[in-house]
Amino acid sequence: MDYIIEPLICAFIGCFTNYIAIKMLFRPYNSKKIFGKNIPFTPGIIPKRKKEVAKSIGNVVSAELIDKSEILSHLRSDSLVNKIIDFIMSYRIYIPEKKEDNRSAGDFIADFISKLNLKEAVSTELYNYINQKISGNIAFKFIGDKMIYGIAESIGETLQNYIEGDGKVFISKTIDDEIYKLSGMKTEEILLKYEIDILEIKHVLGEKYRSFLDENIDIIFENIDISAIIEKKIMSMDMRELEKLILSIMRKELNAIVYLGAVIGFIIGLFNL
């Protein structure tokens, strides 16, 4: 009986000591004191060196695991691009009601239109149209080129005056009414409403997105310190949470160490015999 009891006791001791050693990596979470003096091995190794551990993990992940070219390749992948485009197309646009102290989109557009020199553009276009319309007609000889331009200029001036006056209110209201009809609609529904080629828009969005990444990926990475982000995240974690995370990743390996302690203890027990 003694031949089996001693190896079993040694196996238990080897298993238990390894278990305690693993627990001491994390516990106690805080330093313990007796008579004002710190008890050795408190806090645990990882809580005591949490900052160094966080910094080391951050550096390793940043230098070894996160490659800029691989991230760029993923960001440019068809699957991600399609998801972004689908998000844009399915996004519902909600337009807030116009407030008394705020100017609407219609007001801005009406102001912009009223400041354009439409008189000259309209006059020139009408002159060319009338001239072409009656060219070769006998009436053209009686009206004359100067009179035709006078008619066209008069119409252009009248239109310009209307737009700068009462027309601004009409333009603003018409645009606002049309815009508010779109509130709550998806981007894709709006494009369909105005018979815009959705496939072409999606293609342009994809190309613009990829072009933006290619041109700005270096700037993006310069402003993102991955190592610092990971370090900050680990430092903000409660030790219980960090212990749970590490154990969930390395549970099999740490359990193997405990069992290995039992095996080694059992062998030592046999040698003792």
Side-chain angles (χ1 to χ4, degrees):
M1 193 68 176
D2 293 339
Y3 289 99
I4 191 65
I5 291 178
E6 186 170 347
L8 286 177
I9 292 174
C10 290
F12 174 77
I13 294 173
C15 177
F16 183 71
T17 53
N18 278 15
Y19 174 80
I20 293 298
I22 290 172
K23 285 297 180 182
M24 288 179 65
L25 289 172
F26 305 96
R27 302 185 187 191
Y29 300 130
N30 301 304
S31 61
K32 305 295 181 181
K33 295 181 182 293
I34 294 181
F35 305 119
K37 293 186 177 182
N38 191 59
I39 299 176
F41 306 110
T42 66
I45 295 173
I46 292 180
K48 188 174 184 179
R49 304 188 61 187
K50 186 178 180 182
K51 185 173 179 62
E52 292 91 331
V53 171
K55 189 175 184 63
S56 297
I57 293 174
N59 290 336
V60 169
V61 172
S62 176
E64 304 296 336
L65 301 181
I66 297 181
D67 183 74
K68 183 173 69 175
S69 61
E70 290 180 1
I71 291 180
L72 177 60
S73 177
H74 177 70
L75 291 174
R76 296 181 89 261
S77 66
D78 291 339
S79 60
L80 183 57
V81 172
N82 289 334
K83 285 180 181 178
I84 292 173
I85 293 174
D86 288 342
F87 173 79
I88 294 173
M89 288 297 168
S90 62
Y91 183 79
R92 291 188 182 276
I93 300 173
Y94 292 97
I95 301 169
E97 293 291 334
K98 177 182 177 182
K99 298 180 181 179
E100 293 183 2
D101 56 341
N102 287 337
R103 305 184 70 203
S104 66
D107 293 334
F108 283 105
I109 295 174
D111 277 348
F112 175 74
I113 293 175
S114 67
K115 292 175 182 177
L116 297 175
N117 188 6
L118 295 178
K119 174 184 174 181
E120 182 178 348
V122 171
S123 299
T124 302
E125 186 65 27
L126 278 176
Y127 168 76
N128 292 333
Y129 171 75
I130 297 172
N131 198 7
Q132 184 180 9
K133 190 74 174 176
I134 66 175
S135 180
N137 193 302
I138 192 171
F140 181 73
K141 296 181 180 180
F142 294 98
I143 296 176
D145 189 72
K146 188 174 182 181
M147 188 177 293
I148 293 173
Y149 188 78
I151 295 171
E153 188 177 35
S154 177
I155 295 173
E157 185 174 358
T158 302
L159 179 62
Q160 182 76 46
N161 291 336
Y162 173 75
I163 290 175
E164 291 176 355
D166 296 338
K168 284 180 67 175
V169 178
F170 174 77
I171 292 171
S172 176
K173 185 177 184 308
T174 301
I175 292 173
D176 284 338
D177 289 345
E178 191 65 25
I179 288 175
Y180 289 133
K181 288 179 184 178
L182 306 178
S183 185
M185 293 177 65
K186 295 180 181 179
T187 307
E188 189 168 0
E189 292 172 343
I190 295 173
L191 296 175
L192 286 171
K193 177 179 173 65
Y194 293 101
E195 299 180 351
I196 298 173
D197 190 341
I198 294 178
L199 292 178
E200 180 62 25
I201 294 295
K202 288 183 176 181
H203 174 73
V204 171
L205 285 174
E207 291 301 312
K208 290 292 183 181
Y209 169 73
R210 288 189 172 96
S211 176
F212 169 80
L213 287 176
D214 293 339
E215 294 173 4
N216 296 279
I217 191 66
D218 291 331
I219 298 174
I220 293 172
F221 267 81
E222 284 176 5
N223 292 292
I224 298 178
D225 190 344
I226 296 173
S227 177
I229 292 173
I230 295 173
E231 181 181 348
K232 183 178 179 181
K233 178 65 178 176
I234 294 175
M235 288 300 297
S236 67
M237 293 176 69
D238 180 76
M239 270 311 304
R240 289 177 177 82
E241 186 182 3
L242 183 59
E243 179 185 12
K244 185 177 178 180
L245 173 64
I246 294 175
L247 289 178
S248 67
I249 296 171
M250 302 184 63
R251 187 174 302 277
K252 289 183 179 179
E253 291 78 6
L254 295 177
N255 285 339
I257 292 174
V258 174
Y259 300 144
L260 182 62
V263 173
I264 293 174
F266 187 82
I267 294 172
I268 291 174
L270 292 176
F271 275 111
N272 285 340
L273 290 176

